[in-house]
Amino acid sequence: MFSDNKALHLGKIYRLIEQFELISRTDLAKLSDLAPASVTNLTKILIDNHFILERAVQNTLSRGRPSIGLAVSNFFWQLLCVTVSPHKVEISLCQLNGKQIHKQDYTISPQHYAQLDDNILKFIDNFQQVYTIDKEQLLAVSVSVVGKIDAEKESITQLGNHTILCHITPKLTPLFDCPILLSEHFQLWLLAESTVGSLISQNNVIFIELDDTVNVSVLLSGNLLHKQSKMNVDNMHMPKFSQLSDETFPELDAIDRYKLINQVTFPAIVQLIDKYLPNDLTTPEQKINLLCQKIEENQTIALSILDHITDNLAYALMNLANIFSSEKIMFNSPLLQVKEPLFSQLSVKLQKNLLQQDLNIDLVTSQYDWNSPLIACSAIKQGIYDGNLIKDSIN
């Protein structure tokens, strides 16, 4: 049985090897501040358990014996990633580096939420029938939820803007002889971007994720303000920007209707789409795709809906940027299909209303696709880095 300290050292060595792609034991000892003998022992454990491998490196300037370097082995261990969103469940089987081996999508809707756990089990069973999964090589199962989970990380408590109760972890545990990791998609996205993504060296960033809900978090002086939860901006009150402001949730009184959550989330946008872009589409995802298509075609009403979205987003983000002096805003949403007009409008409206005239905000996108399995994989990667999943796979 490995001690926690030894597990941490194993995770540290693995991460260094992954970072440098190919590295010698001598360099590992220097970078890790561990004794050469310890590095030799740790790398042997990682090699024996298929996390890393030795690779010969021939120096083209020398005819001598090739040197031996260490690299991550991506082909033995596999990861099962399940992303649960309000309208579909995506299942991916991935290599250790997150590269997708197989992927399958399964459609769900609110009427399925009461039996969501059973439906997910059926989807996984179907996936295993279609694709071969060697459970001996399965390192972990990561379930990423576009919503909220409970503190014990056993149940899904909210999906999109619907309150539910889905005891998914206890249902999955008997099926797999490996850890089940339940996480919120937004938190995994923050983890992926701030630890292995494009914002490792950034200090002041606003993260915003827009779909059925609005998720916001702030990186301030290199630290996330909300490590376990999002910032609650749902009830931020918006001005009335145009007639469209009164046509989302018209049944609500003005105070509730003008809340951010009732102006720019997908349930609100879909109401505008159905009124002004008549369609026979059945899912919000299809309707958002239709809006993006019409925006690209420069259809007047579609551009008006985009203007409504950016008015509200810019107002909310302007307030946050003025408070936190943020240098970057990282945006993640299916609306990035129309990134150019979306970002163009947001940039102009943000800059116009910033209180700090010398503050130039850079709008950026995630290096991960909206539904990338790499986001779900980040939970497993973190478990490797802290040594826990390495220890579990050996014990």
Side-chain angles (χ1 to χ4, degrees):
M1 180 110 179
F2 289 132
S3 66
D4 290 341
N5 193 47
K6 188 166 187 177
L8 280 172
H9 288 331
L10 285 166
K12 183 177 184 178
I13 291 296
Y14 175 89
R15 189 167 189 176
L16 283 170
I17 295 170
E18 182 183 56
Q19 180 181 349
F20 286 91
E21 296 184 3
L22 190 63
I23 189 171
S24 68
R25 289 177 174 81
T26 301
D27 289 337
L28 272 177
K30 293 175 183 176
L31 291 167
S32 64
D33 291 326
L34 295 171
S38 295
V39 169
T40 299
N41 179 46
L42 293 169
T43 54
K44 183 179 186 304
I45 293 171
L46 291 172
I47 290 170
D48 289 345
N49 289 278
H50 310 288
F51 284 95
I52 64 172
L53 50 78
E54 291 184 320
R55 184 181 295 167
V57 182
Q58 179 65 60
N59 187 333
T60 57
L61 300 178
S62 170
R63 295 184 179 179
R65 181 180 178 184
S67 60
I68 299 296
L70 298 168
V72 169
S73 173
N74 292 314
F75 309 108
F76 180 82
W77 292 109
Q78 295 181 341
L79 320 175
L80 188 65
C81 299
V82 182
T83 300
V84 184
S85 60
H87 310 292
K88 66 180 175 180
V89 175
E90 302 171 49
I91 303 177
S92 298
L93 184 66
C94 302
Q95 294 179 351
L96 195 58
N97 60 358
K99 183 178 179 181
Q100 208 167 66
I101 304 170
H102 302 296
K103 177 179 181 292
Q104 190 76 36
D105 293 351
Y106 300 90
T107 301
I108 59 171
S109 59
Q111 58 259 38
H112 298 124
Y113 291 173
Q115 293 82 35
L116 183 60
D117 50 0
D118 290 332
N119 280 307
I120 293 174
L121 293 185
K122 290 177 184 176
F123 298 154
I124 290 175
D125 182 61
N126 174 264
F127 186 87
Q128 292 182 106
Q129 290 179 25
V130 177
Y131 306 109
T132 301
I133 299 178
D134 186 344
K135 292 188 177 180
E136 293 296 317
Q137 294 180 245
L138 201 60
L139 184 64
V141 177
S142 175
V143 181
S144 171
V145 179
V146 182
K148 295 180 181 178
I149 64 173
D150 65 348
E152 291 75 26
K153 297 189 175 183
E154 292 192 345
S155 302
I156 303 171
T157 58
Q158 183 174 319
L159 198 55
N161 56 2
H162 292 266
T163 298
I164 66 170
L165 186 58
C166 171
H167 300 295
I168 189 61
T169 302
K171 286 290 187 78
L172 290 178
T173 299
L175 301 182
F176 300 99
D177 188 24
C178 65
I180 311 295
L181 309 178
L182 180 64
S183 312
E184 293 179 5
H185 184 272
F186 182 61
Q187 295 302 321
L188 288 185
W189 177 51
L190 297 186
L191 176 66
E193 282 293 355
S194 59
T195 58
V196 296
S198 57
L199 294 181
I200 296 174
S201 60
Q202 299 297 321
N203 289 321
N204 299 306
V205 182
I206 295 172
F207 295 90
I208 178 167
E209 191 176 62
L210 176 64
D211 47 67
D212 279 35
T213 58
V214 183
N215 292 316
V216 173
S217 192
V218 176
L219 191 70
L220 186 62
S221 300
N223 296 306
L224 285 171
L225 289 183
H226 301 78
K227 293 184 178 179
Q228 302 301 324
S229 64
K230 68 170 187 171
M231 178 181 292
N232 189 358
V233 296
D234 292 351
N235 296 327
M236 186 182 289
H237 203 263
M238 299 290 106
K240 178 180 177 178
F241 290 105
S242 70
Q243 175 190 342
L244 296 184
S245 297
D246 283 323
E247 294 180 356
T248 61
F249 298 102
E251 71 276 11
L252 299 177
D253 60 53
I255 292 178
D256 285 330
R257 188 188 313 130
Y258 293 155
K259 290 178 179 178
L260 182 65
I261 191 173
N262 293 325
Q263 288 293 315
V264 298
T265 57
F266 284 5
I269 298 172
V270 162
Q271 292 195 18
L272 299 178
I273 295 170
D274 285 344
K275 180 171 183 177
Y276 291 107
L277 299 171
N279 61 85
D280 297 322
L281 302 172
T282 57
T283 69
E285 181 182 25
Q286 293 171 330
K287 294 173 190 284
I288 294 298
N289 290 341
L290 172 65
L291 173 63
C292 292
Q293 176 189 331
K294 297 301 182 183
I295 290 171
E296 289 179 334
E297 294 171 359
N298 290 318
Q299 189 178 100
T300 301
I301 188 59
L303 294 175
S304 296
I305 295 174
L306 177 64
D307 199 47
H308 167 81
I309 295 168
T310 55
D311 277 339
N312 284 275
L313 285 178
Y315 183 84
L317 291 170
M318 171 267 294
N319 282 285
L320 294 173
N322 283 327
I323 292 170
F324 298 110
S325 299
S326 303
E327 301 158 350
K328 288 183 182 291
I329 295 174
M330 175 165 278
F331 190 78
N332 200 21
S333 172
L335 286 173
L336 286 173
Q337 297 173 68
V338 287
K339 174 186 170 182
E340 186 173 342
L342 176 70
F343 274 25
S344 177
Q345 288 192 23
L346 278 175
S347 295
V348 170
K349 293 173 181 179
L350 269 172
Q351 211 59 45
K352 181 180 178 180
N353 293 292
L354 286 173
L355 297 178
Q356 303 177 54
Q357 298 301 319
D358 59 342
L359 185 61
N360 293 310
I361 298 179
D362 188 16
L363 278 168
V364 297
T365 56
S366 174
Q367 76 172 45
Y368 303 103
D369 291 337
W370 168 251
N371 58 349
S372 171
L374 286 169
I375 295 177
C377 282
S378 65
I380 299 175
K381 275 302 185 73
Q382 191 59 44
I384 297 173
Y385 297 154
D386 63 29
N388 288 330
L389 287 182
I390 298 176
K391 182 170 68 172
D392 288 343
S393 70
I394 295 172
N395 292 334

